[in-house]
Amino acid sequence: MRQGYWLLLAMATCAVAGPLAPTALRCEYLVNPVGIDVANPRLYWFPGHTERGARQTAYQVLVGTTPDAATADQWDTGKVASISPVHIAYGGKALESGRTYYWKVRYWDQADQPSPYSQAATFETGLLAVSDWKAQWIKGGNVLRKEFTLAAAPVRARAYVAGIGYDELRLNGGKVGDHVLDPAYTQFDKRVLYVTYDITGQLRAGPNAVGLMLGEGWYHARAGLLQLEIDLPGGRHVRIATDTSWKAADGPIAADSIYNGETYDATREQKGWDSPGFDDKPWNAAALEAVGHGLLSAQMMPPIRVVADLPARRMTNPRPGVFVFDMGQNFSGWTRLRVKGPAGTRVEIRHAELLYEDGTLNVENLRTAKATDIYILRGDPEGETWEPHFTYHGFRYVELTGYPGTPRLDSVTGREVHTDVRPAGAFAASKPLLNQLQQNIVWGVKSNLHSIPTDCDQRDERMGWMADAHLAAETAMLNFDMAAFYTNFLRAIHDDQDDNGAVPDTVPRGRMRPPADPAWGSAYPLIVKYMWEQYGDRRIVEQHFEGIRRWADFLKTLADEDGIVSFVKYGDWVPMERTPGDLVSTAYYYLSLDTVARMAEVLGKAPEAAQYRALADSVAAGFQKRFYHADSHLYANGTETANTLPLAFGITPATERTAVRTNITNDITYYKNMHLGTGILGTKYLLPLLSQEGRPDLAYDLATQTTYPSWGYMIEKGATTLWELWQDVEGPSMNSHNHAMFGSVGAWFYTSLAGIHIDPKYPGYEHILIQPEMVRDLHYASASIDTVRGRVASAWERALGHTRLEVTIPPGSTAEIRVPSFGNPELTVEESGHVVWKARTFVAGTPGVTGGRRAGEEALIEVGAGTYVFEVRE
Ligand code: BGC
């Protein structure tokens, strides 16, 4: 079918001036990455042409070691016939450690016209072999330092650093780079991630000093590993590496803990400690850290950064000496303090999501997390500005006590901190509640990206709970560029898988012991599948196929002869109505098998595909036998989740689907008066299922509901993020006010309301299905997604019998657009003034529009790359 597209596209497209150079060059999803450790990194670009039907037909990549890449001394692909500008695996000379490689690309368009070459981009290798590491793990204090002299200013210098729990690298009096809370959280005995910095500009001829500040982080101890590789003019090389010649001391950070906060005593600052010429004789020699650490790997994902500043909106003074600031938004990060006062003054900064009626902080739901930073002033007459280094909080409200005098509104600034994933999606609609919910979802998702997807960002938890991870993953991928982030997370899952195939409930496992609840551990196959669908990442599928298959095989050991898995820890968590745990676990067992079978098909592993499909079918049969009531068409106790999971996962036989669906819609309509009964698992599938089953109106009613339980209820109660519970609870129990898992509904905004669907047969938005749902009182919806191939957008507007649908498809992709007929099959559809559909048939001749067919009363119009404006008059 796609062959046909190309022929028609070629006919429909007229060549204009030559194609533009490619843009947006990426390597392993990252822009000019420094410090990667894959042998065959993959390259990506956007072909620069924008005309309708545009596509690449061939490319040429050059990789060289000189800045214009033109030498191509590493790799010259020659002209390769390919429509794909994504996942092009490097196939040149073996890459060496610590080198910068330059690359550029050109392509040939649909008329076989070559584009100019792109600007050169870079990727740089880290330390590829274990033997490249000469540094030793050292400890002895929370600051470490070393001085050294260089005979000349370097021509090139790199720092490779892995300080655990957290590190901050300092050189000649300044911080290196803009990362915070590095390195990423891993199971440290399995793998530690190092970060590479270009420090060429921060070194100089003569004396230099390097310092490392260390925080406890998730390691709950402190150790540092650092290696500087410095090239001087004339081929001379200097290496500085952590060893026992380093000096160690305790600096001004008197205490630091992710949950409790940081205490910083500025009177204990040692001025100049990270600059040359400092007297470190009183310091101790650093000691070797005896504990072995796991593999060292490059940290290949966006770092955690301070991504924005949030000004305080309001200050109150609920008690003498107690000042409370409302930042107007619940978020993850910390507070920057501005203060002037006598040395030794101790200012306490507490954080909370909630207030009591009297305006003081309610910290009950933080459980044991103190979320308190303490700053002890050095007494600078000019005033002092401070922010913590090795902690973070989830909060909306900030309380200052001990402040000298009366603070001003700008005495505090909110610093938004999380993994700095690039925003990639936007959604808006004519319903203000949906726009607010979209905002809450985005805040909920990003607050919970801290090198791993966390459950919450505020209380004494913040772990990589696996169900929370897979429930929010699609929403996250539609709103942010998550490819590198989940690539890292999947490796962490793989690292944490036991020999018997079991995975833990949280990754890293920390103190959790496998096996996970089946619905939690299914994060492993599900996130692999989402990486395939959203990014078309076949390498991920290859790397993890054995792992996900072993997980499915492990579940099999838990199943009885009918395939029923009774092992359950949480089931459909935090629901309105309880669903039997064995039903939920067995449904996820089925889903894991189904996913393994699908991924086997992707890899062309026919025997495995057949094996897991057969097993999935037998589990479905056992599921029907155990849980389905053929008379009432209900599953088990008939909850929304009990009926939704088998229908959404494909367990329900075709003959029963309508009856089960009717039970669900009746339950929502007549028994629940348009409310949800689901917990976190059922919620993810319920709205997309209703849309798929032809009841987007009901899904919309649930999404826009404002009475309890609903998302709108949270918003009516003032939520700026998503709660952990449908209930409005603010006591000492489990009730985070910033959990991402109910954000699963965010994916439905993009797929159903704006109508942008991936086609699993051509993943990564190579072929796109556009099917907007124009429901109820909604009169416009729009979404865009910056996909791995470029921007996909869909926006519709409907008024007075006139519908306008604007769609953008990136170069090289094709789409099928369902243009609604509103019950009148005789409608005429125009595209930018050309008739493309009339009297139930496709009208050829519009550039980029390659075909059309009927689906019931509606027109399915096929297009290639470009922006199209369809208009339908009723
Ligand atoms: C977390 C959840 C998690 C659950 C496991 C909670 O404490 O916050 O989101 O999935 O434990 O049931």
Side-chain angles (χ1 to χ4, degrees), residues 254-598:
D256 65 276
S257 138
I258 294 175
Y259 297 150
N260 296 329
E262 180 169 314
T263 299
Y264 187 96
D265 184 350
T267 64
R268 282 170 50 182
E269 281 176 347
Q270 302 196 41
K271 216 173 155 35
W273 76 277
D274 53 0
S275 296
F278 176 80
D279 177 13
D280 63 14
K281 275 188 230 73
W283 288 33
N284 299 320
L288 294 181
E289 164 73 332
V291 186
H293 301 286
L295 275 174
L296 281 162
S297 296
Q299 182 169 307
M300 289 175 50
M301 66 173 156
I304 300 175
R305 287 193 179 99
V306 176
V307 297
D309 281 357
L310 277 73
R313 303 272 179 87
R314 213 161 73 93
M315 182 180 87
T316 57
N317 187 194
R319 285 192 194 148
V322 177
F323 299 92
V324 173
F325 298 79
D326 180 358
M327 312 309 292
Q329 174 64 51
N330 195 342
F331 67 104
S332 70
W334 56 67
T335 302
R336 186 173 61 202
L337 176 72
R338 274 191 211 87
V339 61
K340 187 151 76 173
T345 309
R346 179 189 157 102
V347 179
E348 243 185 69
I349 315 167
R350 287 203 309 153
H351 301 83
E353 294 187 298
L354 306 165
L355 292 182
Y356 290 117
E357 299 247 304
D358 68 359
T360 58
L361 259 54
N362 174 352
V363 295
E364 291 179 39
N365 73 336
L366 306 184
R367 304 194 305 205
T368 66
K370 294 200 175 64
T372 303
D373 296 329
I374 297 170
Y375 181 66
I376 299 168
L377 277 68
R378 78 177 86 90
D380 190 329
E382 302 293 318
E384 300 166 41
T385 301
W386 177 80
E387 59 192 295
H389 306 76
F390 300 130
T391 187
Y392 75 95
H393 315 293
F395 64 105
R396 171 171 172 173
Y397 302 100
V398 179
E399 177 204 82
L400 294 185
T401 52
Y403 195 90
T406 303
R408 302 178 349 174
L409 202 56
D410 66 357
S411 299
V412 302
T413 304
R415 302 275 275 168
E416 183 192 341
V417 179
H418 48 74
T419 298
D420 192 9
V421 285
R422 187 176 54 85
F427 169 81
S430 55
K431 186 95 173 169
L433 175 64
L434 290 178
N435 296 334
Q436 182 62 50
L437 181 51
Q438 164 71 8
Q439 288 309 306
N440 289 32
I441 290 169
V442 165
W443 279 103
V445 167
K446 65 184 180 173
S447 302
N448 282 298
L449 301 176
H450 278 264
S451 79
I452 55 162
T454 60
D455 59 332
C456 59
D457 65 346
Q458 72 296 80
R459 69 175 176 225
D460 50 357
E461 198 154 6
R462 310 185 209 179
M463 306 203 300
W465 281 98
M466 295 268 273
D468 307 52
H470 73 75
L471 294 170
E474 287 181 285
T475 296
M477 288 173 168
L478 294 168
N479 285 290
F480 297 98
D481 179 353
M482 299 298 296
F485 182 91
Y486 286 125
T487 299
N488 180 73
F489 188 59
L490 285 169
R491 182 173 64 181
I493 298 175
H494 189 260
D495 282 350
D496 246 339
Q497 186 171 32
D498 280 353
D499 289 342
N500 65 357
V503 297
D505 288 297
T506 67
V507 170
R509 67 172 65 187
R511 280 190 289 275
M512 301 293 296
R513 290 287 159 262
D517 182 292
W520 269 244
S522 297
Y524 193 12
L526 288 174
I527 297 176
V528 167
K529 181 174 75 172
Y530 301 148
M531 286 292 293
W532 168 248
E533 291 176 345
Q534 292 292 330
Y535 302 109
D537 194 326
R538 189 189 162 93
R539 184 179 282 182
I540 284 283
V541 183
E542 286 165 358
Q543 285 171 341
H544 293 284
F545 184 74
E546 275 311 305
I548 64 174
R549 167 195 182 144
R550 286 174 49 231
W551 160 251
D553 292 349
F554 168 74
L555 288 178
K556 189 168 177 227
T557 67
L558 302 180
D560 70 12
E561 66 284 357
D562 285 335
I564 304 300
V565 176
S566 306
F567 174 70
V568 59
K569 289 164 138 178
Y570 322 109
D572 190 25
W573 192 240
V574 295
M576 295 301 299
E577 52 191 15
R578 278 256 155 239
T579 300
D582 52 356
L583 180 149
V584 175
S585 289
T586 308
Y588 275 88
Y589 173 36
Y590 174 87
L591 186 59
S592 287
L593 293 169
D594 172 78
T595 306
V596 171
R598 281 171 203 260

Side-chain angles (χ1 to χ4, degrees), residues 22-297:
T23 59
L25 275 62
R26 287 146 290 151
C27 171
E28 287 300 319
Y29 297 117
L30 303 167
V31 176
N32 298 332
V34 176
I36 63 168
D37 61 357
V38 278
N40 300 95
R42 292 162 303 171
L43 306 176
Y44 307 75
W45 59 89
F46 294 162
H49 48 190
T50 50
E51 72 277 10
R52 288 203 177 171
R55 71 185 197 281
Q56 165 189 296
T57 54
Y59 67 78
Q60 181 172 19
V61 171
L62 305 181
V63 182
T65 47
T66 57
D68 65 355
T71 51
D73 50 319
Q74 294 294 311
W75 197 36
D76 179 351
T77 62
K79 182 176 176 181
V80 179
S82 168
I83 58 164
S84 181
V86 298
H87 305 296
I88 306 302
Y90 173 79
K93 284 187 203 154
L95 301 175
E96 291 168 24
S97 271
R99 294 202 68 175
T100 307
Y101 295 90
Y102 301 85
W103 68 284
K104 61 186 181 183
V105 57
R106 65 172 170 165
Y107 64 95
W108 283 260
D109 71 2
Q110 59 279 7
D112 204 30
Q113 291 297 307
S115 76
Y117 273 106
S118 66
Q119 300 278 323
T122 60
F123 61 87
E124 184 177 320
T125 46
L127 300 182
L128 301 181
V130 177
S131 58
D132 293 330
W133 282 99
K134 308 297 178 201
Q136 295 173 291
W137 284 102
I138 57 170
K139 63 179 178 185
N142 61 14
V143 289
L144 303 167
R145 79 181 300 276
K146 167 96 184 167
E147 284 194 34
F148 56 96
T149 302
L150 295 178
V155 291
R156 183 183 197 273
R158 295 293 184 267
Y160 304 94
V161 58
I164 53 176
Y166 288 137
D167 70 70
E168 180 174 316
L169 178 59
R170 318 273 310 177
L171 258 184
N172 294 329
K175 177 171 157 66
V176 175
D178 60 358
H179 301 194
V180 296
L181 305 181
D182 254 345
Y185 180 21
T186 52
Q187 192 62 33
F188 296 115
D189 55 352
K190 295 258 174 64
R191 191 185 299 274
V192 175
L193 302 186
Y194 67 90
V195 174
T196 305
Y197 288 108
D198 179 349
I199 52 165
T200 315
Q202 275 173 275
L203 295 176
R204 51 199 177 220
N208 290 269
V210 57
L212 204 50
M213 295 168 65
L214 298 175
E216 291 198 355
W218 294 106
Y219 185 59
H220 307 300
R222 299 179 178 89
L225 182 80
L226 172 68
Q227 190 161 315
L228 309 184
E229 297 286 348
I230 306 166
D231 292 325
L232 300 180
R236 286 166 298 168
H237 188 80
V238 177
R239 173 179 298 135
I240 305 294
T242 42
D243 58 22
T244 49
S245 73
W246 283 55
K247 289 300 206 56
D250 278 328
I253 298 179
D256 65 276
S257 138
I258 294 175
Y259 297 150
N260 296 329
E262 180 169 314
T263 299
Y264 187 96
D265 184 350
T267 64
R268 282 170 50 182
E269 281 176 347
Q270 302 196 41
K271 216 173 155 35
W273 76 277
D274 53 0
S275 296
F278 176 80
D279 177 13
D280 63 14
K281 275 188 230 73
W283 288 33
N284 299 320
L288 294 181
E289 164 73 332
V291 186
H293 301 286
L295 275 174
L296 281 162
S297 296

